Amino acid sequence: MEKDLTIEQIQNFEGKYPKQLWYLFFSEMWERFCFYGMRGMLTFFMVDQLLMNEKVANLQYGATQAFVYAFTFIGGLFADKILGYRKSLFWGGIMMIIGSIILAVNPQKFFFLGISFTVIGTGFFKPNISTMVGTLYKANDTRRDAGFSLFYSGINIGALLGGYACIYLGKNYSWNLAFGLAGIVMTISLLTFVFTQKSLSTIGISPLMHLDNSKRKLYEYATYIGTILAIPLIMAMVSNPEYTDYFMYTIGPITLLYLAYEMRNFSINENKKLIAAMVFIIFSILFWAFFEQSGGSLSLFAANNLDNDIFGLTLDPNGVNNAANSLFVIIFAPLLGIAWIWMSNRKSEPNTVVKFGLGFLFLALAFYTFYSTRFFADANGLTSLEMFTLAYFIITFGELCLSPIGLSIMTKLAPLKLQAVMMGMWFLASAYGQYAAGILGAGMVSANENATKAEKLITYTDGYQQLAIYAVISGVVLIAISPLVKKLMQEVK
């Protein structure tokens, strides 16, 4: 029986992937439908329905997404210390479903209340399912990167479907229906996990199993109640970008102090690995600050400045903006995963730091392509959806060199007792990236709210050219320091 499997038996799987990966794959796939469906609607909805100007909408998007990813650290912490990965995931899914229902009832009136539930829910769900994927592998299993690449490819099926479907439904039919659809698929995600978790042996159970049942339940119920009581505070912070500034100035230093405190309990070699992990985390902040223009400035760029023709097909530009990257990930992530294994067998695979550096170079080329769309524009400021899509094709390879590899390297470098916390810190870095993305996007907005489409085209593409330059510099620096970071990583590849 699957439920009688030990962790060792799971990790001694034959072939390229453990079968448990497929169960987590489907659960995460539907959760990503919900998340990316919501994410793809945010900026456009705030401008179109809440009547925010574009600068405020960019800042609000950055603030909202920053809280989403910041709470993954908190969710990881509670999973490590109290709930375990499974109960954290389940509780997060319930909160996301409630948020979707609230938004489906009246998204204009209850926007920030619904988003607050989604923020907390994602914080409990997202880091813990990724951590469970890492637990399916032994520490030095060379198939781990390929597994994370497949996982990353699979969840992008959800991102592809949700990214296009939700914005399309909202713009053309009903915003209530669009947000409601996100809640339906989140329910499917949760049910998928509930009915397949028996195959995971003891992976993800509560770390407090050694305590009396009543005492353990007390800690768990306190966590659930505390989460609900925190909703008004989260709502106040999410709805006011100024509060986001205070939060981001605080959570980062506190997190670093907490990590320093925990490092006292580990050996010198383990701490060297944690320092290496911090290098990846710091550079990932820069990467996401550039990459996550997709949900902010690029969303508005798509709405204002793109035609709707791509190779003879008529498509919604915002839908393409939300879905193109996911489509390319689905196609190329498994191929790249196979390529990493092929190169590893021939001892020619680039180390993880170099992969990160290559990610920035692809990112730079993609943003230069976004910049080049200005040369294809007509007199009214409408430009080529095809060139825009080409940029997403390029940016996908940058993402695949960094994001699935980043998830994998966190589970390799972190001591077992700190796995979920380090995964949470990885997502907290994304929070800072999202926060910076909102600021960068707001800086690209024309000072004139009544600017023409042609003027907006020039303003945004000038900003994308600057991001391309910054990405090149970051990539070169990373490749240059790769020997030093590789020493800190020791035997970890």
Side-chain angles (χ1 to χ4, degrees):
M1 295 289 289
E2 285 187 332
K3 63 183 178 181
D4 297 323
L5 288 174
T6 65
I7 293 178
E8 290 74 18
Q9 288 173 321
I10 291 174
Q11 293 175 338
N12 288 329
F13 64 92
E14 296 181 358
K16 293 180 180 178
Y17 310 110
K19 63 182 176 182
Q20 290 79 8
L21 178 63
W22 296 100
Y23 303 149
L24 298 176
F25 163 116
F26 282 110
S27 183
E28 179 75 338
M29 181 185 79
W30 292 116
E31 186 271 340
R32 291 292 87 185
F33 184 112
C34 176
F35 177 82
Y36 280 96
M38 293 273 222
R39 169 184 174 271
M41 293 188 282
L42 284 180
T43 305
F44 183 88
F45 182 85
M46 287 186 286
V47 172
D48 186 66
Q49 295 292 306
L50 303 185
L51 305 180
M52 294 183 186
N53 67 48
E54 292 187 4
K55 181 176 182 179
V56 172
N58 268 289
L59 290 173
Q60 188 64 66
Y61 169 79
T64 302
Q65 291 297 99
F67 277 115
V68 165
Y69 283 92
F71 271 86
T72 58
F73 173 76
I74 297 173
L77 184 62
F78 276 101
D80 267 346
K81 303 300 182 183
I82 298 176
L83 297 180
Y85 307 142
R86 297 191 196 183
K87 289 183 178 178
S88 291
L89 187 152
F90 184 81
W91 179 238
I94 293 293
M95 297 292 282
M96 292 177 73
I97 292 168
I98 293 172
S100 297
I101 292 172
I102 291 170
L103 288 166
V105 171
N106 192 328
Q108 292 83 2
K109 185 176 181 179
F110 300 127
F111 181 75
F112 289 110
L113 176 61
I115 291 298
S116 298
F117 273 89
T118 302
V119 164
I120 294 178
T122 305
F124 277 97
F125 190 103
K126 186 172 175 59
N128 298 307
I129 195 165
S130 300
T131 303
M132 282 192 281
V133 171
T135 313
L136 301 176
Y137 294 86
K138 292 181 179 179
N140 295 315
D141 193 327
T142 58
R143 298 170 293 182
R144 181 186 294 241
D145 280 1
F148 269 99
S149 289
L150 176 68
F151 181 69
Y152 204 71
S153 175
I155 64 180
N156 273 274
I157 297 173
L160 167 66
L161 298 174
Y164 196 93
C166 289
I167 190 71
Y168 181 82
L169 286 175
K171 289 174 69 174
N172 295 284
Y173 294 98
S174 164
W175 290 106
N176 307 74
L177 180 60
F179 286 111
L181 178 61
I184 292 170
V185 296
M186 189 63 229
T187 303
I188 296 173
S189 169
L190 205 56
L191 290 174
T192 300
F193 179 76
V194 167
F195 287 112
T196 60
Q197 62 177 320
K198 65 180 182 295
S199 69
L200 295 170
S201 182
T202 58
I203 292 173
I205 64 173
S206 171
L208 302 181
M209 295 303 291
H210 60 285
L211 297 179
D212 291 337
N213 186 59
S214 59
K215 190 172 185 180
R216 186 175 70 252
K217 293 293 184 183
L218 177 63
Y219 285 124
E220 291 175 0
Y221 291 147
T223 300
Y224 301 145
I225 293 170
T227 302
I228 299 297
L229 293 178
I231 290 291
L233 175 63
I234 304 306
M235 185 176 172
M237 291 193 294
V238 168
S239 62
N240 191 332
E242 182 181 344
Y243 293 161
T244 310
D245 296 340
Y246 302 143
F247 180 80
M248 299 306 288
Y249 297 155
T250 304
I251 189 68
I254 289 175
T255 302
L256 291 175
L257 288 173
Y258 177 78
L259 179 62
Y261 173 79
E262 288 283 4
M263 287 173 73
R264 299 176 308 120
N265 301 318
F266 300 108
S267 68
I268 293 175
N269 286 336
E270 287 174 320
N271 284 331
K272 284 181 179 179
K273 291 178 184 178
L274 287 172
I275 293 170
M278 288 305 302
V279 173
F280 292 116
I281 286 170
I282 290 168
F283 274 92
S284 74
I285 294 174
L286 295 175
F287 185 90
W288 297 121
F290 306 156
F291 181 91
E292 285 298 336
Q293 295 304 311
S294 57
S297 70
L298 285 169
S299 178
L300 297 175
F301 182 78
N304 292 323
N305 294 108
L306 293 181
D307 61 33
N308 61 1
D309 179 77
I310 179 167
F311 303 116
L313 296 174
T314 300
L315 296 175
D316 184 295
N318 282 106
V320 173
N321 176 64
N322 294 343
N325 174 235
S326 297
L327 174 63
F328 293 134
V329 168
I330 292 165
I331 296 170
F332 293 104
L335 299 178
L336 194 59
I338 293 170
W340 294 143
I341 292 176
W342 184 84
M343 296 171 74
S344 175
N345 292 336
R346 288 155 182 78
K347 302 189 184 304
S348 59
E349 182 183 10
N351 67 56
T352 303
V353 197
V354 173
K355 288 179 183 177
F356 264 55
L358 291 173
F360 275 98
L361 297 183
F362 279 116
L363 189 67
L365 181 58
F367 272 99
Y368 187 80
T369 306
F370 283 128
Y371 162 73
S372 72
T373 58
R374 70 196 300 173
F375 303 119
F376 296 83
D378 62 20
N380 297 318
L382 286 180
T383 190
S384 170
L385 181 58
E386 293 167 349
M387 284 299 297
F388 185 84
T389 305
L390 174 62
Y392 267 113
F393 172 76
I394 298 168
I395 210 171
T396 296
F397 288 94
E399 182 186 7
L400 290 176
C401 284
L402 185 140
S403 189
I405 306 303
L407 290 172
S408 178
I409 201 65
M410 289 301 109
T411 62
K412 290 179 184 178
L413 292 172
L416 185 60
K417 292 182 178 180
L418 217 59
Q419 290 251 322
V421 168
M422 291 306 295
M423 191 66 74
M425 287 192 71
W426 172 256
F427 291 122
L428 182 59
S430 296
Y432 276 91
Q434 301 276 358
Y435 175 66
I439 295 172
L440 290 171
M444 295 180 199
V445 175
S446 172
N448 178 11
E449 291 186 22
N450 299 314
T452 65
K453 290 185 177 182
E455 290 169 336
K456 289 180 178 181
L457 174 73
I458 296 301
T459 302
Y460 274 114
T461 54
D462 279 345
Y464 300 145
Q465 184 185 36
Q466 290 298 311
L467 295 186
I469 294 170
Y470 300 150
V472 166
I473 295 171
S474 300
V476 171
V477 169
L478 256 175
I479 292 172
I481 66 172
S482 62
L484 174 61
V485 180
K486 191 176 178 182
K487 281 188 177 181
L488 291 172
M489 294 169 65
Q490 300 160 75
E491 80 282 357
V492 175
K493 303 297 183 184

